[in-house]
Amino acid sequence: MGKLEDRYGRVATDLRVSLTDKCNLRCTYCMPAEGLDWMPLEQQLTDDEVVRLVGVAVEHLGVREVRFTGGEPLVRRGLVDIVARSHALGVETSLTTNGLGLARTAPALAAAGLDRVNVSLDSVRADTFHQLTRRDRLDDVVAGLAAASDAGLGPVKVNAVLMRGVNDDQAVELLAWCLERGYELRFIEQMPLDAQHGWSRDGMITADEILAQLETAFVLTPAVEPRGSAPAELFLVDGGPATVGVIASVTRPFCGDCDRVRLTADGQVRTCLFAREESDLRAALRAGASDAELAERWMVAMRGKAAGHGIDDPTFLQPDRPMSAIGG
Ligand code: SAM
Ligand code: SF4
């Protein structure tokens, strides 16, 4: 068995697989209102190709967890089958989703062996939700969360991004809402990954601001468990056991502990969200490479992983692919 080790000794065991770059929401921090030029279908890996590469990662490279994402993974028709076949490889599987349609598919996903879901929800106010996602679908997300919880896809996690002047006054309300329903909330700092290049260091809401706001209503104490490679810094809320997390990718980067690697919907290995280079597994796969050859190519790609994302560096350049095409 090989492993996905980089030049700095970090070993990737957590694979993020993007199943599509398409989405049915238009979150302002992710996509422009008109959407993007979607990837031509022939460039996208087929269901069999996705499962083959997941198999290479699990059986040859020591990957222990596979998280399906996108774009919106629930719009991928073969999702349940891909989950079932990945689960059969003996790997943990999870899904990051905007929750639209989850009310309908949660039972099938659970039956296919999916372990957990993360659902993105930035506001529980219908007008703010609409402003952020440009769609009037809050009720669908709320129903999707409940269905995921009922189907046993827990602990159900909620991901939220705060945007200045839009929902940055709603951290307390969002946490109270999640606590009431037993969902684990994690705030993610906004990163420079939107296609419209709308991010700015001064405009983003920092982890410190989020924590200060939460502390007006809750007592937060650092959770005792070591953070390890988990990106979220966890806090006990009012003594626990409930927790809230903050993923401070920008202001408190955790690159030194990173255990991730990404596969895009068109079969490119990316060693980081912010990588400027990719390694083409799809071409090798379609040219007839064996599993061992694909694994070797993947290991070589890992050696190019940078030490850190360098967002704060003056020479930082945003990656060419937006978040929705990389897989968040
Ligand atoms: N469509 C699914 C969803 O929204 O959960 C999966 C893909 S989405 C790209 C994955 C996660 O990335 C979501 O939680 C979303 O909020 C987050 N995200 C998207 N753009 C972001 C940005 N510019 N900065 C920080 N997080 C972002
Ligand atoms: Fe779609 Fe997720 Fe991007 Fe929102 S964050 S536009 S739901 S891919």
Side-chain angles (χ1 to χ4, degrees):
M1 166 88 81
K3 57 181 172 174
L4 292 173
E5 184 165 7
D6 66 29
R7 287 173 295 159
Y8 305 96
R10 295 169 298 184
V11 178
T13 55
D14 178 343
L15 171 63
R16 307 277 154 131
V17 179
S18 172
L19 292 178
T20 176
D21 60 336
K22 295 198 189 70
C23 191
N24 38 18
L25 293 184
R26 294 285 182 274
C27 304
T28 53
Y29 48 75
C30 184
M31 281 195 201
E34 65 278 13
L36 295 164
D37 291 333
W38 311 125
M39 187 182 286
L41 218 52
E42 66 278 7
Q43 285 181 20
Q44 192 172 285
L45 296 178
T46 64
D47 295 358
D48 287 347
E49 288 172 336
V50 171
V51 175
R52 167 112 187 264
L53 291 179
V54 168
V56 168
V58 173
E59 291 172 345
H60 294 260
L61 296 168
V63 161
R64 291 198 289 266
E65 175 168 2
V66 179
R67 172 174 293 277
F68 296 106
T69 177
E72 177 43 49
L74 285 174
V75 307
R76 171 104 183 202
R77 203 170 297 158
L79 174 66
V80 172
D81 183 50
I82 291 171
V83 168
R85 291 164 69 194
S86 302
H87 173 71
L89 294 165
V91 71
E92 258 188 68
T93 54
S94 54
L95 185 72
T96 300
T97 171
N98 63 24
L100 298 190
L102 187 57
R104 202 177 50 250
T105 36
L109 286 167
L114 188 74
D115 290 295
R116 281 183 309 283
V117 290
N118 281 36
V119 178
S120 301
L121 177 61
D122 307 320
S123 173
V124 290
R125 294 187 205 169
D127 54 345
T128 312
F129 181 91
H130 186 257
Q131 198 182 346
L132 277 165
T133 64
R134 304 188 180 102
R135 299 287 185 271
D136 191 13
R137 304 292 297 272
L138 174 63
D139 291 348
D140 298 74
V141 183
V142 172
L145 274 161
S149 185
D150 291 347
L153 294 172
V156 171
K157 293 185 183 160
V158 172
N159 293 343
V161 177
L162 294 184
M163 298 291 285
R164 201 172 292 287
V166 183
N167 63 340
D168 59 335
D169 57 342
Q170 297 177 28
V172 167
E173 152 181 347
L174 201 53
L175 178 54
W177 190 89
C178 288
L179 291 174
E180 235 171 73
R181 290 158 181 80
Y183 307 148
E184 291 183 14
L185 177 62
R186 274 143 178 63
F187 290 97
I188 310 176
E189 280 183 343
Q190 188 201 359
M191 296 178 279
L193 284 166
D194 56 315
Q196 326 77 283
H197 293 244
W199 180 91
S200 78
R201 182 69 172 77
D202 299 337
M204 62 165 286
I205 304 288
T206 64
D208 284 347
E209 288 176 82
I210 297 166
L211 291 170
Q213 211 187 115
L214 294 176
E215 281 172 334
T216 63
F218 303 98
V219 177
L220 302 185
T221 41
V224 278
E225 61 191 69
R227 179 174 163 197
S229 57
E233 282 177 66
L234 279 189
F235 298 87
L236 296 175
V237 181
D238 293 338
T243 58
V244 65
V246 180
I247 304 181
S249 321
V250 179
T251 61
R252 301 176 200 168
F254 35 85
C255 304
D257 291 317
C258 181
D259 66 352
R260 315 244 152 117
V261 61
R262 290 164 199 276
L263 183 66
T264 64
D266 54 347
Q268 311 296 306
V269 167
R270 292 182 66 92
T271 56
C272 173
L273 273 175
F274 297 94
R276 302 203 49 84
E277 277 167 24
E278 302 182 335
S279 178
D280 189 355
L281 289 189
R282 184 193 61 197
L285 186 154
R286 291 188 180 169
S290 67
D291 282 6
E293 285 164 345
L294 291 168
E296 179 57 34
R297 228 180 146 88
W298 206 325
M299 286 193 286
V300 169
M302 283 311 287
R303 291 184 205 127
K305 180 162 171 138
H309 56 48
I311 293 176
D312 270 339
D313 191 293
T315 62
F316 173 76
L317 280 176
Q318 192 172 326
D320 296 330
R321 275 185 198 253
M323 178 73 131
S324 53
I326 296 172

